[in-house]
Amino acid sequence: MNPEPGPQDAPDPSMLDPRFLDPHQEIVRRDGLDDHDIDQVVRVMDGLRRWRETERRLGEAARRHMRLSSTDMRALRYVIALTHRGEVATPGTIAAHLGISSASTTKMLDRLAAGGHVRRLPHHTDRRSLAIEVTEETRRAALEVVGRGQARRFEVAARLAPAEREVVARFLHELADLGEPPL
């Protein structure tokens, strides 16, 4: 699934380049950076912007294809991952993973079960709990729709040299640690 580029893919320097956005350095300090350095930073920021937009479009396409919400998709991926690790997914573990209430989890599981995406089975060791399994049809669809994209992203990261992967990982983790929504 390779969405066609749109107008959002064209760089807009006024939205990314502090020389245009903040010419008086009221917010973004550029001390010690020459134009080449700033151009590189802007390219990194543009790459992040393009990736966020691509990820948004891919996620929307996957959800439309499977007719599921983003929370539904996260729940299914989580149940599939637990199953692959030999662990049992329960409504409680799903709620904790998603950070939603047990009532919301019940409604979501009702919807997923009605749509033929999951089955509720008796838990094999805890008779008070249920085991949640993704149906084979949904597992295959998720593998095809979401898994193939994940495989391509993994291949891109694998092509980087080990030192490059460390730099990229550190950079992305530092961005995530800022705790601020990206603009």
Side-chain angles (χ1 to χ4, degrees), residues 91-167:
T93 61
I94 294 168
H97 175 73
L98 297 175
I100 62 176
S101 70
S102 58
S104 294
T105 302
T106 299
K107 287 179 185 178
M108 178 189 63
L109 292 174
D110 288 345
R111 193 173 55 252
L112 290 172
H117 298 290
V118 300
R119 288 187 299 273
R120 292 176 169 119
L121 305 167
H123 194 287
H124 67 281
T125 60
D126 182 356
R127 65 181 184 180
R128 297 168 297 153
S129 189
L130 294 171
I132 307 300
E133 289 185 357
V134 172
T135 62
E136 182 57 26
E137 182 179 334
T138 294
R139 188 194 70 76
R140 279 195 316 271
L143 186 64
E144 186 62 36
V145 173
V146 179
R148 298 242 183 262
Q150 179 65 15
R152 289 192 302 269
R153 290 185 293 277
F154 183 90
E155 291 166 1
V156 169
R159 285 194 301 266
L160 296 172
E164 291 172 320
R165 288 193 294 266
E166 286 299 323
V167 168

